[in-house]
Each structure stands twice: as structure tokens, then as C-alpha cells.
Amino acid sequence: MNTHEPTVSAAGPHTGRRSSRLRTLASAALLAAVAGGCASGHAVTPTARDAAASTRSSTSPDTSRPPGTQMPGMTQADAPSASALMVCGPEISNDVTKILAPARVPTTSSTWTDHLYTCTYHLPAGLLVLSVKESPDAASATAYFETVRKQMGTTTQLTVAQGLGNPGYESARGTVVILKDGKTLRVDATGMPTASGPHQLSRADLAYEIASDILGCWSE
């Protein structure tokens, strides 16, 4: 993604590609909106995103649980928050299905370890991994957010509009990370094909579209 496009006096090949990309992303956003649910009234459209600027977690097998369930003996304070559980919930699952139009409804698996909730969507074309790290305070949240940035290598900062007013960054390989209210949301589409769904979304655009839908839910 090129966030600093040169100014040109006439439309050229770059303008054509950008316009085509915006049309494709806008169509995908419309599908998510039609799906209904919490994201339909709040998610930032990809068109607004571009106009404004343009690891999967490793856990032990025994920590894997069906989405939304709680580990035996876990207190409420130790369990994932409702916001974290939402990434594996029906609204986001419905958005994923509408945007990608897979041959079958994706199954999901989830883990909860060290206050990191991870939901993996098992799609016919690959894996889409959503995770939420819940930090106890702002300093810890910022530290984790920056640690993930370093681990990812080269990233591009999201604009304020792209992050719905929240700090965030993305990688060209297909991962978007956004920090909101002490929660670090990570959408990892690196396990998906280079072009996904009927609108042939790139990994980076797919990750951003899902991230914006989740932020829409969180903003209700």
C-alpha cells in the first residue's frame, strides 16, 4: 500500500489501479453491511480508508476451547471479555462469510492464554486468524502494541481515519494491528491466498476490512 502517492496532472495507470481497488473494496464493504449485525452501522468503508490516506499465537493444545467457552476453574476476571469473544461471534463470522463467500461456512477454533484470545477461521482457501490481547493498563497495552510492531518488521502506520481514531499499523503481507481501550486487535490474513473472495481482495485489504468491522462492533 502506498500512503504517499505522487501528485500527477493527468490520470495514469496508477490512478486506474487505485480506482479499481476502491471499487472492489467498496463492494466488499457493502456485502458486510448487508450481512447486518453490529458492524453494519459503524465500520469505516475502504473508500474512506484510502481517501483519508492511503503470528499467529502459539498455545498448548490443551488450551484450545470452542469459541466463547471458559476454561474449567477460570474466574470472570481471568476469562476473555465480551469484546474479545466477539471476534469469534456470529456478527464477525457472518461478515467473514459475506465478504469471502466460501464454498462452505467456515469453522472456528479458539484459544485463551496469557490474556490473549485467538480465533482461527478455517476457510477452504486458508486460515484467517483474529486475536485480541487484553492488557491491565494503558502502559502495558502500548508496550505490547509496540512489541508486535517490532516483531512484524516493516509496517505502515494507519491514519487516524483508518484506525477509527485509534493507533494502528499494517504490513503489506496481510496483517493489521489496532490498539483500542487497552485491547490490541490483530487480524492476520497471511494464511489466505494473495486474492480472496469474489472481489479478489488482497491479504492486506482483507485484514483491514475485517479489522474495521470489528472496530465497528466495539464502537457500539
Side-chain angles (χ1 to χ4, degrees):
M1 178 179 299
N2 185 3
T3 60
H4 301 284
E5 295 181 353
T7 302
V8 293
S9 57
H14 290 288
T15 303
R17 284 197 296 271
R18 185 171 184 274
S19 297
S20 175
R21 176 172 177 265
L22 292 181
R23 287 194 298 271
T24 297
L25 288 172
S27 297
L30 179 60
L31 279 175
V34 170
C38 60
S40 61
H42 297 276
V44 171
T45 65
T47 300
R49 172 204 184 197
D50 284 274
S54 302
T55 80
R56 230 153 267 156
S57 71
S58 176
T59 58
S60 302
D62 62 355
T63 64
S64 180
R65 309 285 295 177
T69 62
Q70 189 168 303
M71 294 294 290
M74 182 183 295
T75 65
Q76 188 64 34
D78 293 330
S81 67
S83 296
L85 292 172
M86 193 177 289
V87 302
C88 235
E91 296 93 348
I92 301 306
S93 178
N94 197 32
D95 280 353
V96 170
T97 300
K98 290 291 184 179
I99 292 168
L100 295 175
R104 56 174 173 77
V105 176
T107 59
T108 58
S109 60
S110 64
T111 61
W112 171 247
T113 183
D114 193 25
H115 296 280
L116 178 68
Y117 182 74
T118 303
C119 177
T120 301
Y121 284 80
H122 301 266
L123 292 142
L127 299 178
L128 177 64
V129 184
L130 317 181
S131 66
V132 180
K133 174 68 173 183
E134 305 204 83
S135 301
D137 52 59
S140 299
T142 299
Y144 180 81
F145 179 75
E146 293 300 334
T147 296
V148 173
R149 188 202 301 262
K150 292 177 182 177
Q151 292 173 344
M152 285 174 57
T154 302
T155 60
T156 300
Q157 191 82 14
L158 296 179
T159 66
V160 172
Q162 290 170 351
L164 280 177
N166 305 290
Y169 49 85
E170 63 182 347
S171 74
R173 294 182 60 247
T175 301
V176 170
V177 180
I178 297 175
L179 175 61
K180 179 178 174 60
D181 300 332
K183 296 177 175 59
T184 302
L185 169 67
R186 179 172 180 169
V187 179
D188 184 346
T190 58
M192 296 295 291
T194 54
S196 297
H199 298 284
Q200 297 293 281
L201 294 176
S202 70
R203 294 178 180 124
D205 288 336
L206 172 60
Y208 177 79
E209 176 62 26
I210 300 301
S212 68
D213 285 351
I214 294 169
L215 286 179
C217 287
W218 286 1
S219 297
E220 280 202 331

